[in-house]
Amino acid sequence: SFEIDLARSAMTLTVPAGKSILDVLRENGINMSSSCEQGACGTCRCGVIEGDVIHQDVYLSDGEKAEGRSIMTCVSRAASNRLILDI
Ligand code: FES
């Protein structure tokens, strides 16, 4: 599991194994748009302020993945203990 800090919502949430960031956001009343939920469409994109991402989507370019400023919340996860998201 890892933690997500929501910078604009002043919340810290835990994302357990087996749940997506998108799942956890919705369970906590954060309304995120999504469509494919397979990492392909880009709808669930969220800004990353701090932390390392394991990108599991096929939407972002290699350059964007290396930059690490965005995450697809339906499939991708943290490589670090904590991500600070621009939500
Ligand atoms: Fe399509 Fe996440 S909902 S990439």
Side-chain angles (χ1 to χ4, degrees), residues 22 33-44 59 72-75:
L22 183 64
S33 297
S34 71
S35 179
C36 72
E37 301 200 1
Q38 293 180 16
C41 73
T43 308
C44 66
Y59 178 81
M72 294 303 142
T73 56
C74 65
V75 291

Side-chain angles (χ1 to χ4, degrees), residues 13-29:
L13 304 173
T14 300
V15 182
K19 279 192 182 171
S20 67
I21 295 174
L22 183 64
D23 291 335
V24 170
L25 290 172
R26 287 181 169 163
E27 283 172 9
N28 287 276

Side-chain angles (χ1 to χ4, degrees), residues 60-78:
L60 293 172
S61 68
D62 289 346
E64 286 173 314
K65 287 178 179 176
E67 230 173 51
R69 307 318 296 172
S70 295
I71 186 169
M72 294 303 142
T73 56
C74 65
V75 291
S76 295
R77 307 188 70 79

